[in-house]
Amino acid sequence: MRKNIGILLIILCCIGAIVLWLPSAQGSGISFRSFSQIAALIGIILLSINFILSTRLKFLEGFFGGLNQVYIIHHVVGITALLFLLVHPVLIAIYYWKISLAAAFDVIFPSPISGFATWFGMGALLTLILLLVLTLYVKLPYNLWKLTHKFMGIALILATIHVLFISSTVSNNYPLRYYILSFCTIGLISYLYRTLLGRFFVKRVRYKVDKIKIVENVTAIILFPLAKKLKYLPGQFIFIKFASLGITSEEHPFSLTSTPDEEVISIAAKSSGDYTETLKLLKEDSIATIEGPFGRFSFVEARRKKQIWIAGGIGITPFLSMAKSFTKDNGYEATLYYVVKVHKEAIFLSLLHQCSQNSPNLKVVPFYTKTAGHLTANIVAQDIPDFATHDIFICGPKPMMTSLRTQFNNLGVRNGHIFSEEFSLD
Ligand SMILES: Cc1cc2nc3c(=O)[nH]c(=O)nc-3n(C[C@H](O)[C@H](O)[C@H](O)COP(=O)(O)OP(=O)(O)OC[C@H]3O[C@@H](n4cnc5c(N)ncnc54)[C@H](O)[C@@H]3O)c2cc1C
């Protein structure tokens, strides 16, 4: 539902532009030119909105149901904006083609006399195409990909100059002009806030690495606050970066495994790539910079007090925080399935059993796929006959989450009662 509110707002912003554009279209009839103008208006609004979506501001989570959802929508909106902006010059070219081939050619390949506004428009489009091709089709290492994303703002700057100076409906329809320029301005402010001046504006807290423990391929890190303590809900995640020899200063998202009332915070990172592998080199006393908390994957966010929690592998981390926060008289009832291949991989099992002993309303069920096969919704339904009255939380590998969601849907559980946390933002 929350996700729909955000999407609805984006659609309304686009419709707003079309409504304001309509008076300019009166009398001129429907033509390729009209469609081209509408495509440009929608494209620039979506492009601007995409910068707002990338700010990680808290209110966005409310509109979309969590930061993961915001990033998914950001991805879709980016591609849609590009498509609309691509269609814009093509449709104008078709329109001019009827008048003269040279004029049509001039739209797609501006000449030195085309006017600087046209050049800026084309520059914006080429920048966007280049960056989106790099994002979608060239599998760049994450840090390089992030760097290319920083240049997206150039496309918005060029597009805004195009809107400001091009002679079109936007130059003489003032309500429309100010509407579009407001979006461009908010988009540019968002770009300044997050990307260019993020180090001054974005709120971050500093922690110091207290202890590091490596078990199997998981690095567990405990940190204590250097100043203000982070306030968060059990199950939420943070972006963290370390200043430590041998570790790049990239920020990465990790779920908190500690509880909000502890003085320290903790995370557990599984080696799954270059960065997480180097975390093993982390030294005690290193400084960590943290942004957050983010996410809505928390038992306290759900409406139903009876819950089923399903963790696959390292997907156990948000549940560790939730299980440790559970108290016997909190009014909740949860069954946690800890799904791993073999017992050896269930490295947090004894801690979870301890939580369950302290809070009998939390039941922990280890599930070993090597002997029992995949955990299915039917197995859960057999264990918990009134499963349909529960809210379901799932965190684990993407195929597992997708499959379980479909299986629960098939058993009649609506998506509104299934919460999932994906360990990827792209
Ligand atoms: C909300 C959330 C919570 C997470 N919690 C945990 C956790 O508790 N424990 C854990 O082990 N892992 C967690 N992850 C996953 C963890 O962030 C990635 O495994 C890690 O960033 C991978 O980096 P890498 O360089 O080692 O691997 P790579 O092979 O370089 O990256 C693998 C994938 O991880 C993602 N990724 C890489 N770098 C970043 C980055 N800087 N920011 C965002 N995504 C990135 C990309 O999707 C990439 O394709 C979480 C991810 C998210 C989104």
Side-chain angles (χ1 to χ4, degrees), residues 132-202:
L132 277 171
V133 165
L134 285 177
T135 299
L136 299 175
Y137 301 110
V138 184
K139 200 75 192 137
L140 290 174
Y142 194 83
N143 50 346
L144 272 184
W145 171 81
K146 254 192 124 178
L147 189 70
T148 62
H149 242 60
K150 292 196 170 173
F151 291 99
M152 284 282 182
I154 294 174
L156 184 60
I157 294 170
L158 296 176
T160 306
I161 298 174
H162 175 75
V163 173
L164 267 174
F165 295 102
I166 197 81
S167 163
S168 71
T169 41
V170 185
S171 52
N172 43 37
N173 174 338
Y174 284 100
L176 179 64
R177 182 177 178 79
Y178 292 125
Y179 185 77
I180 295 294
L181 286 176
S182 309
F183 276 95
C184 294
T185 310
I186 297 171
L188 288 171
I189 292 172
S190 304
Y191 176 59
L192 279 178
Y193 164 79
R194 177 84 237 166
T195 311
L196 295 188
L197 304 174
R199 72 178 65 182
F200 304 111
F201 288 130
V202 176

Side-chain angles (χ1 to χ4, degrees), residues 68 139 142 146 237 239 250-257 268-277 314 317-318 421-426:
N68 300 53
K139 200 75 192 137
Y142 194 83
K146 254 192 124 178
F237 70 93
F239 284 89
E250 296 164 24
E251 58 171 23
H252 284 247
F254 290 101
S255 298
L256 289 159
T257 52
K270 181 182 169 181
S271 302
S272 58
D274 293 346
Y275 179 79
T276 37
E277 186 60 34
I314 194 64
T317 49
E421 182 84 306
E422 210 179 297
F423 274 7
S424 161
L425 297 175
D426 52 26

Side-chain angles (χ1 to χ4, degrees), residues 61 231-238 254-256 293-295 297:
E61 293 206 277
K231 284 198 185 117
Y232 60 96
L233 294 175
Q236 285 195 297
F237 70 93
I238 51 168
F254 290 101
S255 298
L256 289 159
F294 296 104
F297 192 79

